[in-house]
Amino acid sequence: MGEHPSPGPAVAACAEAERIEELEPEAEEQLPAAPEDFDPGNTGYISTGKFRSLLESHSSKLDPHKREVLLALADSHADGQICYHDFISLMSNKRSNSFRQAILQGNRRLSSKALLEEKGLSLSQRLIRHVAYETLPREIDRKWYYDSYTCCPPPWFMITVTLLEVAFFLYNGVSLGQFVLQVTHPRYLKNSLVYHPQLRAQAWRYLTYIFMHAGIEHLGLNVVLQLLVGVPLEMVHGATRIGLVYVAGVVAGSLAVSVADMTAPVVGSSGGVYALVSAHLANIVMNWSGMKCQFKLLRMAVALICMSMEFGRAVWLRFHPSAYPPCPHPSFMAHLGGVAVGITLGVVVLRNYEQRLQDQSLWWIFVTMYTVFVLFAVFWNIFAYTLLDLKLPPPP
């Protein structure tokens, strides 16, 4: 998708302000930061002139983008002084809210032009700009993403998962001779990829069930949602974050079935898809004023309608007379497990663009909640069926 020229000082400074790692660790010990050197009167402030001289004497040790950010800090103080506390935070490689705000305020006049107003963009640049406005709520993040995105690596995770799901569906369609409502075929649930509570000891089934779909109507809605939502999210947040949310939703889906619908099998990628879509929709709602995507209300309505249709189909199928009694049709609980992951863990992942998740308290809270649920479901699978003396129908 084409590379972009290096971002200008205003864009680089604004973007770096939100994810600032001010100086290289190996350089900080070589920078004098004693109070008597810069604040001899013990006023709590240092002059921007001395600050600039420090930057110039150590410019060879600094990344060009970082140097622009530091110059922006000096420019943002019209009174010729910088808070010594911010200066110390800068030298010690610590994040500082006041430091970050100073950069933002100092560069607001330089970066007030919205990314949407830029003219003469190529088709690939317009696509990247569109993705930025669809997924990011702040102009500062949109500009940084637009300037830094190179499509290397491409959004391989969602594309690979989608291609595998389509390939498995076509293979099953040919082998079964049935493409619509495949799940009604007597041999469908005999596949070793489907998750059955009776076969819960076969751990791979907690993940591989995403490659089995109830029919073309099931596959179609899931593929449309994960391509329209998942690919742009992966372009912005990367395969690691989006893969984490997707896989967490898939695992939560199968475990939710084990806990809440203990006799039914489960198929389809709805757990992962619903995790991504619900996280994206929740992010839009939480940042409504900042989201500049066109027709955002209509887009939300369309997404919710598609999700409701797919969920309604799953509920109808679950209570439809089974083609192979006494084993029931697949459960719909995986959808709800995916939604739960999306509005908790997924929201944190999407909100903290280009920031280290391990530094976010909510990240640890939701990871802990998810871990507790997984452990509870694992122990439930081990002991609950025996303690409840539940008689499971045999798999087909």
Side-chain angles (χ1 to χ4, degrees):
M1 255 223 205
E3 297 187 358
H4 302 286
S6 298
V11 175
C14 281
E16 286 285 347
E18 289 298 303
R19 63 184 201 105
I20 187 71
E21 296 282 78
E22 289 88 357
L23 296 176
E24 300 294 343
E26 61 270 17
E28 68 178 69
E29 295 181 356
Q30 305 173 27
L31 295 177
E36 59 269 17
D37 292 336
F38 297 97
D39 186 19
N42 198 27
T43 63
Y45 292 87
I46 60 175
S47 70
T48 55
K50 290 182 179 180
F51 184 74
R52 284 181 171 277
S53 66
L54 178 69
L55 292 182
E56 292 173 0
S57 62
H58 293 84
S59 60
S60 61
K61 302 184 182 74
L62 299 174
D63 179 90
H65 283 181
K66 293 180 181 178
R67 186 170 61 250
E68 295 290 356
V69 173
L70 302 179
L71 290 173
L73 175 61
D75 292 338
S76 66
H77 291 74
D79 57 359
Q81 298 184 107
I82 297 174
C83 178
Y84 185 71
H85 173 73
D86 290 342
F87 174 70
I88 293 300
S89 297
L90 172 66
M91 297 307 166
S92 59
N93 240 6
K94 296 178 180 176
R95 295 172 65 96
S96 165
N97 288 331
S98 56
F99 173 58
R100 184 165 60 246
Q101 288 301 319
I103 297 176
L104 292 176
Q105 293 170 7
N107 284 277
R108 188 168 290 127
R109 59 184 177 82
L110 300 175
S111 58
S112 58
K113 183 179 179 181
L115 177 61
L116 197 62
E117 298 173 5
E118 295 189 11
K119 307 296 183 182
L121 302 180
S122 65
L123 182 61
S124 62
Q125 290 173 325
R126 290 179 181 275
L127 174 61
I128 296 170
R129 183 179 66 178
H130 173 76
V131 169
Y133 274 92
E134 285 293 313
T135 57
L136 295 172
R138 295 178 299 181
E139 187 70 19
I140 191 173
D141 284 337
R142 291 192 282 259
K143 288 185 175 182
W144 174 254
Y145 168 73
Y146 176 82
D147 282 329
S148 61
Y149 183 71
T150 61
C151 197
C152 184
W156 61 269
F157 178 80
M158 291 309 309
I159 293 176
T160 301
V161 169
T162 301
L163 290 176
L164 287 174
E165 290 172 1
V166 172
F168 274 99
F169 174 79
L170 293 176
Y171 172 79
N172 289 325
V174 172
S175 62
L176 299 176
Q178 185 171 336
F179 287 91
V180 177
L181 283 179
Q182 287 182 348
V183 72
T184 60
H185 194 283
R187 289 193 292 115
Y188 179 82
L189 290 186
K190 296 181 182 293
N191 195 291
S192 60
L193 301 181
V194 177
Y195 176 75
H196 291 276
Q198 304 93 322
L199 303 175
R200 58 192 179 278
Q202 299 176 0
W204 70 85
R205 293 178 182 266
Y206 289 93
L207 287 172
T208 58
Y209 74 91
I210 68 172
F211 300 117
M212 301 292 294
H213 284 79
I216 193 170
E217 66 290 342
H218 187 198
L219 174 74
L221 285 171
N222 279 343
V223 165
V224 168
L225 286 174
Q226 70 186 25
L227 287 180
L228 290 181
V229 177
V231 170
L233 289 178
E234 185 178 347
M235 290 173 64
V236 172
H237 297 280
T240 301
R241 292 187 177 212
I242 298 307
L244 171 66
V245 176
Y246 190 87
V247 172
V250 170
V251 174
S254 53
L255 292 177
V257 172
S258 286
V259 173
D261 196 2
M262 301 167 68
T263 63
V266 62
V267 296
S269 60
S270 298
V273 172
Y274 275 49
L276 290 179
V277 176
S278 59
H280 180 53
L281 294 182
N283 193 46
I284 292 177
V285 172
M286 293 171 60
N287 300 280
W288 187 261
S289 61
M291 299 299 294
K292 301 301 182 183
C293 49
Q294 292 182 321
F295 310 111
K296 56 187 176 184
L297 189 59
L298 177 61
R299 291 167 184 265
M300 283 190 63
V302 170
L304 290 173
I305 289 173
C306 289
M307 292 173 68
S308 300
M309 289 175 57
E310 208 278 321
F311 182 71
R313 180 211 58 81
V315 173
W316 170 83
L317 185 61
R318 171 65 179 86
F319 296 105
H320 190 268
S322 176
Y324 25 77
C327 182
H329 281 312
S331 174
F332 56 84
M333 289 303 300
H335 301 69
L336 303 182
V339 170
V341 169
I343 62 178
T344 54
L345 188 63
V347 167
V348 177
V349 171
L350 300 193
R351 187 183 65 188
N352 292 284
Y353 172 68
E354 283 301 317
Q355 293 183 30
R356 292 179 296 181
L357 289 174
Q358 60 267 32
D359 292 339
Q360 310 299 322
S361 57
L362 275 180
W363 157 256
W364 286 110
I365 292 173
F366 288 135
V367 166
T368 302
M369 291 172 57
Y370 181 78
T371 303
V372 169
F373 166 72
V374 170
L375 291 176
F376 168 78
V378 168
F379 281 102
W380 180 275
N381 277 337
I382 295 174
F383 300 109
Y385 289 82
T386 302
L387 293 176
L388 296 175
D389 195 24
L390 185 65
K391 302 299 182 183
L392 295 179

